[in-house]
Amino acid sequence: MSLTTKVFSRGLSTSAVRMAAIKNVTVIGGGLMGAGIAQVAAQTGHSVTIVDQTKDILQQSRASIEKSISRVSKKKFKDDANAGMDFVKKTIGRIKMNTNAEESVKEADLVIEAIIENLDVKRELFGRLDKAAKSSTIFASNTSSLPITDIAAAVERRDRFGGLHFFNPVPVMKLVEVIRTEETSDDTYNSLMAFSEALGKTPVTCKDTPGFIVNRLLVPYLVESVRLIERGDASPRDVDIAMKLGAGYPMGPFELLDYVGLDTTKFIMDGWHEKFPDNPLFNTSEKLTKLVEEGKLGVKSGEGFYSYKK
Ligand code: CAA
Ligand code: NAD
């Protein structure tokens, strides 16, 4: 299906017809989310550059992509090992790595930011990129909880700025939340919707509201689970078993907290609590703070609520 047909099939604005397809994508931040976003973009034929702070981190991103892409390949080409190897080789071949963000955005049609959940750091980054990228380049943030409008305030191109919120693990989770601010243009919004579909994802649209759709419901549930164990009502393991077997969730809240990252969850909750101190749903948890201070960030650090050390 052509891009134009696809756009019309969703009943989007006719101005979408004018938009250029996104081919070159730069992903800033090669951690849990950035590596996954880069992988899916490369799998679907886009040229991708991943940017991170050091070559060592980029090496880890590459290793995690290689592991994940081989899982995807085994599933997709279970009866044809050669086609699977070709798919892996082509996907990896579409991914470049760079530690210089300004250099890496020069040819980008779309820049997706997936760095630490901190407003000042994201704004500083986008301020620099705004001067380095072509005027047509679209900027998007994968923030879990920060207002897109506040991040976009750091750039001139606010009409070419939106939210593209992916879910962990990106190669598996089918949803993308597309966030438009008051200033996001129709062309930009339509490009972000079409790009999400080109990745094989299902996009939904949300206003620039705290936590968008999923996290506004999910994060208070996760932190309430921590408060439940703080009260001594049940153990993390029993809460996890209860939510999997009693509510049909694929992971219990403590497994999911460890999977998402306790630091990321804490950044989200702290930010909302500061903005909305009277909303008890956004109250933080001492236990979460303590674990983060101890460097127990979940699966990525080897320990969180559970231990992942071999
Ligand atoms: N890369 C590629 N494939 C992967 C993968 C990865 N990183 N992780 C899992 N898979 C694939 C596996 O290969 C497997 O495929 P098959 O079924 O074809 O064999 C399939 O996914 C299931 O994986 P597993 O059998 O290893 O494990 P599972 O059945 O327990 O599923 C899970 C793992 C998909 C992560 C599942 O537990 C799940 O859906 N968990 C909930 C995840 C969730 O809620 N994510 C959202 C977090 S919130 C967020 O992301 C937003 C934010 O801003 C914080
Ligand atoms: P992460 O800690 O795994 O990775 C962040 C990466 O960004 C690290 O590799 C770090 O070195 C890099 N980085 C930090 N500052 C940088 C800079 N100035 N320039 C280049 N690279 C920089 O974090 P993550 O879980 O991938 O989260 C990234 C973003 O995605 C956050 O905004 C988070 O809220 C959001 N998010 C996270 C999840 C999740 O489940 N973890 C889901 C959806 C969205």
Side-chain angles (χ1 to χ4, degrees), residues 3 16-24 46 109-110 191 194-195 198:
L3 183 63
V17 179
R18 292 196 306 272
M19 74 199 180
I22 287 165
K23 294 196 197 94
N24 298 327
H46 301 85
D109 301 312
L110 171 65
S191 289
F195 174 70

Side-chain angles (χ1 to χ4, degrees), residues 113 115-119 122 142-146 264 267-268:
E113 167 275 311
I115 67 167
I116 186 170
E117 188 71 344
N118 177 298
L119 182 60
K122 287 186 194 285
N142 181 52
T143 178
S144 299
S145 64
L146 298 168
T264 299
F267 290 141
I268 295 173

Side-chain angles (χ1 to χ4, degrees), residues 31-33 52-53 114-115 117 122 142 144 166 168 260 300:
L32 217 51
M33 296 305 290
D52 210 305
Q53 293 165 317
I115 67 167
E117 188 71 344
K122 287 186 194 285
N142 181 52
S144 299
F166 291 83
N168 184 24
V260 164
K300 66 181 167 187

Side-chain angles (χ1 to χ4, degrees), residues 23 25 27 33-50 64-77 83-96 166 169-174 195-201:
K23 294 196 197 94
V25 181
V27 180
M33 296 305 290
I37 296 166
Q39 176 189 330
V40 173
Q43 265 172 231
T44 48
H46 301 85
S47 296
V48 182
T49 305
I50 308 178
S64 101
I65 292 173
E66 282 172 358
K67 198 168 150 200
S68 173
I69 191 81
S70 69
R71 289 174 86 172
V72 174
S73 161
K74 272 194 198 118
K75 190 161 42 172
K76 214 171 146 98
F77 301 97
M85 270 153 56
D86 188 51
F87 169 75
V88 170
K89 199 171 152 215
K90 281 197 173 132
T91 300
I92 303 280
R94 290 189 196 107
I95 302 177
K96 287 190 261 171
F166 291 83
V170 183
V172 179
M173 305 307 276
K174 292 274 176 237
F195 174 70
S196 304
E197 289 187 339
L199 298 186
K201 304 292 185 195

